[in-house]
Amino acid sequence: MTMGLCKKNLPVRGKYKDISEKKCYREDGHEGECKEFPYLSDLSVSHPRVTNKIKRDATKTTGAAWKSEDAGPNRIDRWVMLQSDDVLKNYGLDMVALKPGVVAKLREKAATYDDCMDVAARLTLLAYQMPDAPPCPADTRTYLESRFSPMVEGSTTCIVCKEPLSFSLFENAQRGKAEIETAHSNPREHNQNNVGFAHRECNIAQGNKTVEEFYGWISGILDRIDRT
Amino acid sequence: MTMGLCKKNLPVRGKYKDISEKKCYREDGHEGECKEFPYLSDLSVSHPRVTNKIKRDATKTTGAAWKSEDAGPNRIDRWVMLQSDDVLKNYGLDMVALKPGVVAKLREKAATYDDCMDVAARLTLLAYQMPDAPPCPADTRTYLESRFSPMVEGSTTCIVCKEPLSFSLFENAQRGKAEIETAHSNPREHNQNNVGFAHRECNIAQGNKTVEEFYGWISGILDRIDRT
C-alpha cells in the first residue's frame, strides 16, 4: 500500500539553509520536475489560504503575536528548533536571551522535516475528507490514498469534540481568527498520527492537555455536578 | 438579614467623573469616615495583590493587551460602558473608531456601579471561603454575612470544574498570568449571583459559553466518544 517517495534533496534558501532541508515528495521514479508538496497543486489554485495554512501549520512554529526582544522569532521551521542553543546562536538566534516560557513553547513545537511533511500530507487528506470539501482530483486522491488510507468523504471530525468539521469554516474568520485550527491529540507531539483539525474553541478548551486527558477532565467535572 | 448600607455619594475623580459614581458601602448609620470597600481594609494590608484584583475585576472592563488606535481603552469602569456612543464621544472615547469586535467586548462588560460593588463584596466573601484563605476578621465577617449568607470556610470551588480553589493560586503566576481568574456563570452578565472564581484553564475552556452551556457541550462530547 505505502508508496515509495522520490525524496531527492531540493535547494534550500534562507537564513537557516545549512541546518534545514527540503525534499521532493512525488512518487519514486516520477517523471517531470520534483515537487515538495505535489498533492497541494490543485488546492493551491482553488483555495490558496487553506493551502498556505496547511503548509504553515505543518512546518512552522507558531510565533509571537507581537515584536519584542524576548518574544522570540515569528514562525520558524519546526526542524530548526531541533538544533542546540549553541548551533542556533551561530544563526543569530540567541535562545538564552528569550523568556523561559517562550523557549519552552518553541522547543515543544520542534519536529523533524520528515514528520512535518507527513503532517502536511495528512492534513490535506483530512481537508479533502470534510463534508463540504472541494472534490479531490484523481491524481491527488491516488497519491494520498497510497500514502495513507482510502479516502472516506465527509469523515473528518474535530479531533476534540468529534463533530463533523465543515470545510467552509476555513474561510470564516471572526475577529481575525480562523474557526478551524490545526490541532494535536498530544500537544507536545507533531507527527501524522497525532494531528488533525479542530474547532478553534475546542482547541482552546483542550489547552495543554492531551485529548485523552481532556476527556478525563471533563468526565470528572460532570461527575462532580452529578450529570452523567 | 440584609444590612442597610450608607450609600452616601463620595467624590469621584478622573476623566469620566461626570458619568461615574462612587458611594459609601459601610453599614447604614455607621460612625467615622465613609468607605467604598470597607470589607477589604484588612485584606488590602495582608494581600494587596488579591485586593487589587478583586476591585479591578469587579469594576473594570478588561483592556486591550496592546496599545493601538483601534484596540480600545485599557481598563475602564464598567458603568461608563453603559453610556451611549454619543455621550462617550464627549469624553474623548470614539467607540465608532474601534473595531466591531472590540466594541462588542467592551459593551458586554458593561454593568451598573451597584452591581459592580455587589460583585466586589461577593468575591471577597468567596476569597475568604477558600480552603487556605487567611482568617476573616470578625467585623468583616459580620459585614459580609449580613450582606450575603453565613460564611462556610473552605467552601469556595471553581465555578466551572467545581474543585476546591486554593487561595494560594492567587499568588502563583505562570508566564505572567494568574492561575485564578474571576469568572461568570454567564459571561455576558456581571452581578453578584453570576460571579465567582475559576481556574484560569477552566475559565478559558468555558470561553463564551454559560457554565450550563459548557456542561451541555462537554456532555455531548462524552456521548460521542461513548464514555459516559
Side-chain angles (χ1 to χ4, degrees), chain A residues 30-42:
Chain A
H30 66 86
E31 296 185 349
E33 59 169 346
C34 285
K35 282 183 183 173
E36 195 180 22
F37 298 99
Y39 47 88
L40 281 170
S41 302
D42 289 87

Side-chain angles (χ1 to χ4, degrees), chain B residues 197-210:
Chain B
F197 292 110
H199 297 104
R200 179 173 156 72
E201 64 170 19
C202 293
N203 199 24
I204 289 172
Q206 182 195 344
N208 279 322
K209 299 177 183 73
T210 67

Side-chain angles (χ1 to χ4, degrees), chain A residues 161 201 212 224 227, chain B residues 161 201 209 212 224 227:
Chain A
C161 81
E201 64 169 20
E212 284 305 309
R224 280 189 291 282
R227 263 220 184 197
Chain B
C161 81
E201 64 170 19
K209 299 177 183 73
E212 284 305 310
R224 280 189 291 281
R227 262 220 185 198

Side-chain angles (χ1 to χ4, degrees), chain A residues 101 104-105 160-163 175 201-202 204-205 209 212 214-219 221-222 224-225 227, chain B residues 101 104-105 160-163 175 201-202 204-205 209 212 214-219 221-222 224-225 227:
Chain A
K105 214 173 146 188
V160 178
C161 81
K162 304 296 184 188
E163 294 265 30
R175 299 183 191 175
E201 64 169 20
C202 293
I204 289 173
K209 299 178 184 72
E212 284 305 309
F214 176 75
Y215 296 149
W217 178 65
I218 63 177
S219 178
I221 292 175
L222 294 180
R224 280 189 291 282
I225 65 162
R227 263 220 184 197
Chain B
K105 214 173 146 187
V160 178
C161 81
K162 304 296 183 186
E163 294 265 31
R175 298 183 192 175
E201 64 170 19
C202 293
I204 289 172
K209 299 177 183 73
E212 284 305 310
F214 177 74
Y215 295 148
W217 177 66
I218 63 177
S219 178
I221 292 175
L222 294 180
R224 280 189 291 281
I225 65 163
R227 262 220 185 198

